[in-house]
Amino acid sequence: MNETVDQAAQDLGRLTQLLDDVESAMERIDQGTYGRCEACAQELDRHALTATPTLQYCTSCAQTRNDG
Ligand SMILES: [Zn+2]
């Protein structure tokens, strides 16, 4: 029973994060900045964007952020 509740809490946490990402992506669509890196404004790779529609950063900026 507790495991089920823990699992549900984890799933909800992931969904909440996903919802945040989607809302952020929709804001960028409104602002006309969707499809561009939020850090360097470079156009994002089409394939990466198709795989992850809520992508915020280009590969190099994502790498930098992970390092820092
Ligand atoms: Zn970038």
Side-chain angles (χ1 to χ4, degrees):
M1 188 58 170
N2 279 340
E3 273 183 30
T4 305
V5 172
D6 285 349
Q7 186 62 51
Q10 281 182 21
D11 288 348
L12 279 173
R14 270 200 302 274
L15 286 173
T16 303
Q17 181 61 53
L18 183 63
L19 186 60
D20 281 350
D21 288 350
V22 170
E23 283 180 344
S24 170
M26 289 175 76
E27 276 178 23
R28 293 199 297 282
I29 289 171
D30 281 348
Q31 292 163 2
T33 58
Y34 180 75
R36 289 185 179 274
C37 174
E38 288 204 350
C40 71
Q42 178 185 305
E43 256 189 72
L44 298 174
D45 179 76
R46 288 281 162 206
H47 295 294
L49 201 57
T50 302
T52 311
T54 56
L55 200 66
Q56 286 173 276
Y57 301 104
C58 70
T59 312
S60 61
C61 287
Q63 189 76 48
T64 305
R65 293 174 67 86
N66 283 338
D67 287 349

